[in-house]
mmCIF file of all heavy atoms in Angstrom:
data_model
loop_
_atom_site.group_PDB
_atom_site.id
_atom_site.type_symbol
_atom_site.label_atom_id
_atom_site.label_comp_id
_atom_site.label_asym_id
_atom_site.label_seq_id
_atom_site.Cartn_x
_atom_site.Cartn_y
_atom_site.Cartn_z
ATOM 1 N N ASP A 1 0.816 -1.232 -0.043
ATOM 2 C CA ASP A 1 -0.074 0.006 0.065
ATOM 3 C C ASP A 1 0.852 1.174 -0.016
ATOM 4 O O ASP A 1 1.897 1.402 0.632
ATOM 5 C CB ASP A 1 -0.935 0.117 1.264
ATOM 6 C CG ASP A 1 -2.063 -0.939 1.145
ATOM 7 O OD1 ASP A 1 -2.362 -1.319 0.137
ATOM 8 O OD2 ASP A 1 -2.413 -1.340 2.226
ATOM 9 N N PHE A 2 0.289 2.205 -0.679
ATOM 10 C CA PHE A 2 1.082 3.475 -0.715
ATOM 11 C C PHE A 2 0.941 4.223 0.619
ATOM 12 O O PHE A 2 -0.115 4.192 1.266
ATOM 13 C CB PHE A 2 0.371 4.452 -1.774
ATOM 14 C CG PHE A 2 0.774 5.879 -1.691
ATOM 15 C CD1 PHE A 2 1.987 6.249 -2.097
ATOM 16 C CD2 PHE A 2 -0.164 6.817 -1.248
ATOM 17 C CE1 PHE A 2 2.425 7.584 -2.087
ATOM 18 C CE2 PHE A 2 0.239 8.140 -1.286
ATOM 19 C CZ PHE A 2 1.515 8.555 -1.592
ATOM 20 N N VAL A 3 1.969 4.921 1.082
ATOM 21 C CA VAL A 3 1.979 5.694 2.307
ATOM 22 C C VAL A 3 2.209 7.271 2.076
ATOM 23 O O VAL A 3 1.472 8.028 2.517
ATOM 24 C CB VAL A 3 3.025 5.172 3.226
ATOM 25 C CG1 VAL A 3 3.109 5.965 4.554
ATOM 26 C CG2 VAL A 3 2.837 3.695 3.551
ATOM 27 N N ALA A 4 3.288 7.501 1.344
ATOM 28 C CA ALA A 4 3.601 8.935 1.213
ATOM 29 C C ALA A 4 4.469 9.181 -0.050
ATOM 30 O O ALA A 4 5.144 8.249 -0.475
ATOM 31 C CB ALA A 4 4.411 9.454 2.434
ATOM 32 N N TYR A 5 4.346 10.357 -0.486
ATOM 33 C CA TYR A 5 5.102 10.801 -1.803
ATOM 34 C C TYR A 5 5.625 12.102 -1.596
ATOM 35 O O TYR A 5 4.934 13.149 -1.203
ATOM 36 C CB TYR A 5 4.226 10.633 -2.954
ATOM 37 C CG TYR A 5 4.723 11.300 -4.193
ATOM 38 C CD1 TYR A 5 5.422 10.599 -5.246
ATOM 39 C CD2 TYR A 5 4.437 12.638 -4.507
ATOM 40 C CE1 TYR A 5 5.856 11.225 -6.294
ATOM 41 C CE2 TYR A 5 4.891 13.218 -5.681
ATOM 42 C CZ TYR A 5 5.577 12.521 -6.583
ATOM 43 O OH TYR A 5 6.084 13.160 -7.851
ATOM 44 N N ASP A 6 6.935 12.445 -2.063
ATOM 45 C CA ASP A 6 7.414 13.695 -2.106
ATOM 46 C C ASP A 6 8.079 14.036 -3.526
ATOM 47 O O ASP A 6 9.073 13.236 -3.829
ATOM 48 C CB ASP A 6 8.550 13.801 -0.981
ATOM 49 C CG ASP A 6 9.303 15.139 -1.121
ATOM 50 O OD1 ASP A 6 8.658 16.241 -1.459
ATOM 51 O OD2 ASP A 6 10.491 15.132 -0.958
ATOM 52 N N LYS A 7 7.711 14.927 -4.209
ATOM 53 C CA LYS A 7 8.134 15.164 -5.564
ATOM 54 C C LYS A 7 9.682 15.507 -5.570
ATOM 55 O O LYS A 7 10.414 14.955 -6.366
ATOM 56 C CB LYS A 7 7.458 16.341 -6.199
ATOM 57 C CG LYS A 7 7.894 16.679 -7.656
ATOM 58 C CD LYS A 7 6.940 17.791 -8.209
ATOM 59 C CE LYS A 7 7.475 18.078 -9.587
ATOM 60 N NZ LYS A 7 6.639 19.205 -10.053
ATOM 61 N N ASN A 8 10.148 16.311 -4.692
ATOM 62 C CA ASN A 8 11.587 16.602 -4.495
ATOM 63 C C ASN A 8 11.873 18.021 -3.977
ATOM 64 O O ASN A 8 12.882 18.292 -3.580
ATOM 65 C CB ASN A 8 12.477 16.264 -5.622
ATOM 66 C CG ASN A 8 12.523 17.333 -6.676
ATOM 67 O OD1 ASN A 8 11.651 18.245 -6.697
ATOM 68 N ND2 ASN A 8 13.350 17.194 -7.694
ATOM 69 N N ASP A 9 10.774 18.867 -4.232
ATOM 70 C CA ASP A 9 10.990 20.222 -3.848
ATOM 71 C C ASP A 9 9.922 20.708 -2.867
ATOM 72 O O ASP A 9 9.850 21.840 -2.610
ATOM 73 C CB ASP A 9 10.965 21.085 -5.091
ATOM 74 C CG ASP A 9 9.698 20.928 -5.823
ATOM 75 O OD1 ASP A 9 8.778 20.247 -5.306
ATOM 76 O OD2 ASP A 9 9.573 21.611 -6.962
ATOM 77 N N GLY A 10 9.170 19.667 -2.368
ATOM 78 C CA GLY A 10 8.168 20.074 -1.329
ATOM 79 C C GLY A 10 6.921 20.590 -2.030
ATOM 80 O O GLY A 10 5.891 20.814 -1.316
ATOM 81 N N GLY A 11 6.913 20.736 -3.375
ATOM 82 C CA GLY A 11 5.801 21.221 -4.077
ATOM 83 C C GLY A 11 4.703 20.397 -4.172
ATOM 84 O O GLY A 11 3.514 20.721 -4.144
ATOM 85 N N VAL A 12 4.877 19.130 -4.108
ATOM 86 C CA VAL A 12 3.918 18.043 -4.248
ATOM 87 C C VAL A 12 4.165 17.059 -3.227
ATOM 88 O O VAL A 12 5.083 16.331 -3.271
ATOM 89 C CB VAL A 12 3.754 17.388 -5.636
ATOM 90 C CG1 VAL A 12 2.708 16.327 -5.614
ATOM 91 C CG2 VAL A 12 3.482 18.532 -6.683
ATOM 92 N N ILE A 13 3.423 16.958 -2.165
ATOM 93 C CA ILE A 13 3.483 15.937 -1.151
ATOM 94 C C ILE A 13 2.111 15.271 -1.131
ATOM 95 O O ILE A 13 1.150 15.987 -0.911
ATOM 96 C CB ILE A 13 3.898 16.547 0.145
ATOM 97 C CG1 ILE A 13 5.423 16.946 0.051
ATOM 98 C CG2 ILE A 13 3.726 15.430 1.248
ATOM 99 C CD1 ILE A 13 5.886 17.604 1.483
ATOM 100 N N VAL A 14 2.109 13.906 -1.117
ATOM 101 C CA VAL A 14 0.889 13.244 -0.943
ATOM 102 C C VAL A 14 0.935 12.195 0.144
ATOM 103 O O VAL A 14 1.983 11.598 0.191
ATOM 104 C CB VAL A 14 0.557 12.507 -2.279
ATOM 105 C CG1 VAL A 14 -0.807 11.739 -2.263
ATOM 106 C CG2 VAL A 14 0.479 13.363 -3.442
ATOM 107 N N ILE A 15 0.083 12.249 1.037
ATOM 108 C CA ILE A 15 0.021 11.312 2.160
ATOM 109 C C ILE A 15 -1.325 10.533 2.017
ATOM 110 O O ILE A 15 -2.312 11.053 1.808
ATOM 111 C CB ILE A 15 -0.012 12.066 3.495
ATOM 112 C CG1 ILE A 15 1.188 13.010 3.610
ATOM 113 C CG2 ILE A 15 0.068 11.071 4.710
ATOM 114 C CD1 ILE A 15 2.547 12.459 3.579
ATOM 115 N N ALA A 16 -1.166 9.187 2.292
ATOM 116 C CA ALA A 16 -2.264 8.321 2.202
ATOM 117 C C ALA A 16 -3.318 8.723 3.284
ATOM 118 O O ALA A 16 -2.890 9.120 4.469
ATOM 119 C CB ALA A 16 -1.917 6.811 2.371
ATOM 120 N N ASP A 17 -4.645 8.530 3.001
ATOM 121 C CA ASP A 17 -5.701 8.880 3.996
ATOM 122 C C ASP A 17 -5.553 8.149 5.350
ATOM 123 O O ASP A 17 -5.745 8.669 6.322
ATOM 124 C CB ASP A 17 -7.076 8.433 3.437
ATOM 125 C CG ASP A 17 -7.408 9.496 2.274
ATOM 126 O OD1 ASP A 17 -6.811 10.534 2.144
ATOM 127 O OD2 ASP A 17 -8.420 9.103 1.527
ATOM 128 N N SER A 18 -5.010 6.871 5.234
ATOM 129 C CA SER A 18 -4.894 5.965 6.444
ATOM 130 C C SER A 18 -3.882 6.529 7.453
ATOM 131 O O SER A 18 -3.967 6.223 8.547
ATOM 132 C CB SER A 18 -4.477 4.671 6.028
ATOM 133 O OG SER A 18 -3.336 4.622 5.322
ATOM 134 N N VAL A 19 -2.892 7.392 7.009
ATOM 135 C CA VAL A 19 -1.996 7.793 7.944
ATOM 136 C C VAL A 19 -1.809 9.405 8.061
ATOM 137 O O VAL A 19 -0.934 9.871 8.659
ATOM 138 C CB VAL A 19 -0.540 7.265 7.483
ATOM 139 C CG1 VAL A 19 -0.626 5.771 7.430
ATOM 140 C CG2 VAL A 19 -0.110 7.822 6.144
ATOM 141 N N ARG A 20 -2.705 10.067 7.266
ATOM 142 C CA ARG A 20 -2.637 11.540 7.258
ATOM 143 C C ARG A 20 -2.877 12.071 8.578
ATOM 144 O O ARG A 20 -3.790 11.655 9.384
ATOM 145 C CB ARG A 20 -3.676 12.113 6.262
ATOM 146 C CG ARG A 20 -3.516 13.573 6.066
ATOM 147 C CD ARG A 20 -4.466 14.094 5.023
ATOM 148 N NE ARG A 20 -4.122 13.477 3.724
ATOM 149 C CZ ARG A 20 -4.971 12.830 2.866
ATOM 150 N NH1 ARG A 20 -6.176 12.810 3.341
ATOM 151 N NH2 ARG A 20 -4.564 12.386 1.760
ATOM 152 N N GLY A 21 -2.094 13.024 9.057
ATOM 153 C CA GLY A 21 -2.164 13.619 10.273
ATOM 154 C C GLY A 21 -1.139 12.862 11.313
ATOM 155 O O GLY A 21 -0.908 13.500 12.375
ATOM 156 N N ARG A 22 -0.638 11.764 10.904
ATOM 157 C CA ARG A 22 0.250 10.956 11.882
ATOM 158 C C ARG A 22 1.664 10.828 11.118
ATOM 159 O O ARG A 22 2.653 10.793 11.841
ATOM 160 C CB ARG A 22 -0.365 9.616 12.154
ATOM 161 C CG ARG A 22 -1.694 9.696 12.911
ATOM 162 C CD ARG A 22 -2.057 8.292 13.449
ATOM 163 N NE ARG A 22 -2.320 7.429 12.334
ATOM 164 C CZ ARG A 22 -1.649 6.178 12.147
ATOM 165 N NH1 ARG A 22 -0.699 5.826 13.022
ATOM 166 N NH2 ARG A 22 -2.007 5.479 11.081
ATOM 167 N N PHE A 23 1.699 10.710 9.878
ATOM 168 C CA PHE A 23 2.877 10.476 9.162
ATOM 169 C C PHE A 23 3.246 11.764 8.349
ATOM 170 O O PHE A 23 2.294 12.366 7.862
ATOM 171 C CB PHE A 23 2.778 9.232 8.255
ATOM 172 C CG PHE A 23 2.704 7.922 8.949
ATOM 173 C CD1 PHE A 23 2.424 7.791 10.247
ATOM 174 C CD2 PHE A 23 2.759 6.807 8.087
ATOM 175 C CE1 PHE A 23 2.269 6.549 10.919
ATOM 176 C CE2 PHE A 23 2.753 5.578 8.645
ATOM 177 C CZ PHE A 23 2.428 5.441 10.013
ATOM 178 N N SER A 24 4.517 12.052 8.155
ATOM 179 C CA SER A 24 4.973 12.951 7.276
ATOM 180 C C SER A 24 6.323 12.508 6.570
ATOM 181 O O SER A 24 6.995 11.633 7.060
ATOM 182 C CB SER A 24 5.300 14.238 8.042
ATOM 183 O OG SER A 24 6.233 14.095 9.002
ATOM 184 N N ILE A 25 6.585 13.147 5.313
ATOM 185 C CA ILE A 25 7.682 12.780 4.639
ATOM 186 C C ILE A 25 8.514 14.053 4.485
ATOM 187 O O ILE A 25 8.033 15.197 4.250
ATOM 188 C CB ILE A 25 7.218 12.218 3.191
ATOM 189 C CG1 ILE A 25 8.461 11.780 2.400
ATOM 190 C CG2 ILE A 25 6.442 13.261 2.412
ATOM 191 C CD1 ILE A 25 8.017 10.902 1.120
ATOM 192 N N SER A 26 9.778 13.820 4.526
ATOM 193 C CA SER A 26 10.824 14.863 4.270
ATOM 194 C C SER A 26 12.071 14.455 3.841
ATOM 195 O O SER A 26 12.199 13.160 3.681
ATOM 196 C CB SER A 26 11.030 15.597 5.675
ATOM 197 O OG SER A 26 11.647 14.679 6.669
ATOM 198 N N ARG A 27 12.952 15.245 3.396
ATOM 199 C CA ARG A 27 14.314 14.781 2.806
ATOM 200 C C ARG A 27 15.388 15.764 3.381
ATOM 201 O O ARG A 27 15.138 16.848 3.667
ATOM 202 C CB ARG A 27 14.219 14.641 1.474
ATOM 203 C CG ARG A 27 14.041 16.011 0.733
ATOM 204 C CD ARG A 27 14.143 15.763 -0.870
ATOM 205 N NE ARG A 27 13.121 15.010 -1.413
ATOM 206 C CZ ARG A 27 13.096 14.226 -2.498
ATOM 207 N NH1 ARG A 27 14.364 14.065 -3.102
ATOM 208 N NH2 ARG A 27 12.064 13.571 -3.028
ATOM 209 N N ASP A 28 16.569 15.109 3.300
ATOM 210 C CA ASP A 28 17.887 15.866 3.512
ATOM 211 C C ASP A 28 18.690 15.646 2.395
ATOM 212 O O ASP A 28 19.299 14.598 2.305
ATOM 213 C CB ASP A 28 18.553 15.507 4.804
ATOM 214 C CG ASP A 28 19.750 16.239 5.164
ATOM 215 O OD1 ASP A 28 20.328 16.953 4.302
ATOM 216 O OD2 ASP A 28 20.198 16.318 6.345
ATOM 217 N N ASN A 29 18.730 16.575 1.437
ATOM 218 C CA ASN A 29 19.455 16.282 0.227
ATOM 219 C C ASN A 29 20.992 16.323 0.476
ATOM 220 O O ASN A 29 21.681 15.602 -0.259
ATOM 221 C CB ASN A 29 19.201 17.493 -0.797
ATOM 222 C CG ASN A 29 17.782 17.350 -1.352
ATOM 223 O OD1 ASN A 29 17.245 16.219 -1.480
ATOM 224 N ND2 ASN A 29 17.168 18.535 -1.700
ATOM 225 N N ALA A 30 21.531 16.903 1.491
ATOM 226 C CA ALA A 30 22.944 16.791 1.836
ATOM 227 C C ALA A 30 23.237 15.362 2.172
ATOM 228 O O ALA A 30 24.402 14.971 2.028
ATOM 229 C CB ALA A 30 23.236 17.799 2.911
ATOM 230 N N LYS A 31 22.339 14.720 2.802
ATOM 231 C CA LYS A 31 22.630 13.328 3.138
ATOM 232 C C LYS A 31 22.031 12.281 2.206
ATOM 233 O O LYS A 31 22.026 11.097 2.279
ATOM 234 C CB LYS A 31 22.042 12.949 4.539
ATOM 235 C CG LYS A 31 22.591 13.732 5.602
ATOM 236 C CD LYS A 31 21.941 13.474 6.926
ATOM 237 C CE LYS A 31 22.692 14.294 8.070
ATOM 238 N NZ LYS A 31 22.173 13.918 9.472
ATOM 239 N N ASN A 32 21.431 12.796 1.129
ATOM 240 C CA ASN A 32 20.877 11.937 0.035
ATOM 241 C C ASN A 32 19.897 10.982 0.604
ATOM 242 O O ASN A 32 19.808 9.789 0.310
ATOM 243 C CB ASN A 32 21.887 11.199 -0.729
ATOM 244 C CG ASN A 32 21.564 10.980 -2.257
ATOM 245 O OD1 ASN A 32 20.760 11.755 -2.799
ATOM 246 N ND2 ASN A 32 22.122 10.064 -2.871
ATOM 247 N N THR A 33 19.008 11.527 1.646
ATOM 248 C CA THR A 33 18.101 10.662 2.378
ATOM 249 C C THR A 33 16.829 11.275 2.429
ATOM 250 O O THR A 33 16.638 12.396 2.584
ATOM 251 C CB THR A 33 18.710 10.480 3.790
ATOM 252 O OG1 THR A 33 20.007 9.836 3.713
ATOM 253 C CG2 THR A 33 17.820 9.639 4.648
ATOM 254 N N VAL A 34 15.720 10.248 2.373
ATOM 255 C CA VAL A 34 14.376 10.732 2.529
ATOM 256 C C VAL A 34 13.875 10.040 3.810
ATOM 257 O O VAL A 34 14.242 8.888 4.102
ATOM 258 C CB VAL A 34 13.568 10.392 1.315
ATOM 259 C CG1 VAL A 34 12.047 10.735 1.603
ATOM 260 C CG2 VAL A 34 14.044 10.969 0.081
ATOM 261 N N TYR A 35 13.101 10.792 4.573
ATOM 262 C CA TYR A 35 12.526 10.233 5.937
ATOM 263 C C TYR A 35 11.075 10.039 5.879
ATOM 264 O O TYR A 35 10.292 10.778 5.102
ATOM 265 C CB TYR A 35 12.910 11.195 6.907
ATOM 266 C CG TYR A 35 14.421 11.553 7.012
ATOM 267 C CD1 TYR A 35 14.922 12.636 6.586
ATOM 268 C CD2 TYR A 35 15.312 10.602 7.724
ATOM 269 C CE1 TYR A 35 16.334 12.905 6.630
ATOM 270 C CE2 TYR A 35 16.552 10.885 7.763
ATOM 271 C CZ TYR A 35 17.085 11.964 7.300
ATOM 272 O OH TYR A 35 18.491 12.317 7.420
ATOM 273 N N LEU A 36 10.585 9.104 6.606
ATOM 274 C CA LEU A 36 9.090 8.985 7.010
ATOM 275 C C LEU A 36 9.012 9.099 8.463
ATOM 276 O O LEU A 36 9.461 8.168 9.111
ATOM 277 C CB LEU A 36 8.632 7.669 6.516
ATOM 278 C CG LEU A 36 7.232 7.371 6.662
ATOM 279 C CD1 LEU A 36 6.314 8.419 5.798
ATOM 280 C CD2 LEU A 36 6.778 5.951 6.458
ATOM 281 N N GLN A 37 8.520 10.182 8.929
ATOM 282 C CA GLN A 37 8.265 10.414 10.329
ATOM 283 C C GLN A 37 6.871 9.879 10.702
ATOM 284 O O GLN A 37 5.933 10.234 10.049
ATOM 285 C CB GLN A 37 8.325 11.896 10.681
ATOM 286 C CG GLN A 37 8.009 12.252 12.165
ATOM 287 C CD GLN A 37 9.148 11.643 13.045
ATOM 288 O OE1 GLN A 37 10.357 11.805 12.837
ATOM 289 N NE2 GLN A 37 8.751 11.019 14.151
ATOM 290 N N MET A 38 6.874 8.985 11.652
ATOM 291 C CA MET A 38 5.503 8.271 12.006
ATOM 292 C C MET A 38 5.277 8.576 13.563
ATOM 293 O O MET A 38 6.144 8.318 14.266
ATOM 294 C CB MET A 38 5.703 6.740 11.764
ATOM 295 C CG MET A 38 6.133 6.397 10.347
ATOM 296 S SD MET A 38 6.070 4.635 10.002
ATOM 297 C CE MET A 38 7.318 4.092 11.160
ATOM 298 N N SER A 39 4.133 8.973 13.809
ATOM 299 C CA SER A 39 3.751 9.273 15.119
ATOM 300 C C SER A 39 2.396 8.683 15.518
ATOM 301 O O SER A 39 1.661 8.287 14.560
ATOM 302 C CB SER A 39 3.714 10.842 15.422
ATOM 303 O OG SER A 39 2.683 11.404 14.585
ATOM 304 N N ASN A 40 2.194 8.551 16.809
ATOM 305 C CA ASN A 40 0.861 7.883 17.234
ATOM 306 C C ASN A 40 0.655 6.648 16.515
ATOM 307 O O ASN A 40 -0.375 6.369 15.956
ATOM 308 C CB ASN A 40 -0.225 8.911 16.986
ATOM 309 C CG ASN A 40 -1.580 8.412 17.705
ATOM 310 O OD1 ASN A 40 -1.603 7.533 18.695
ATOM 311 N ND2 ASN A 40 -2.619 8.894 17.229
#
């Protein structure tokens, strides 16, 4: 199942309904890494 999507510039971020409000996606380009922050 899909959870989250980030286009690369923050312009388009899509979060699945099942996790919206609890999960977020972000990235650190200096580390060439994308994160999924999950809470609750």
Side-chain angles (χ1 to χ4, degrees):
D1 289 333
F2 168 73
V3 176
Y5 166 93
D6 173 42
K7 180 178 180 179
N8 78 353
D9 57 5
V12 179
I13 291 177
V14 182
I15 305 294
D17 290 344
S18 58
V19 301
R20 187 173 297 125
R22 300 188 297 121
F23 290 14
S24 62
I25 186 171
S26 63
R27 64 172 71 208
D28 184 337
N29 287 332
K31 296 183 178 179
N32 214 23
T33 299
V34 177
Y35 302 101
L36 183 69
Q37 179 68 47
M38 308 184 295
S39 62
N40 191 23

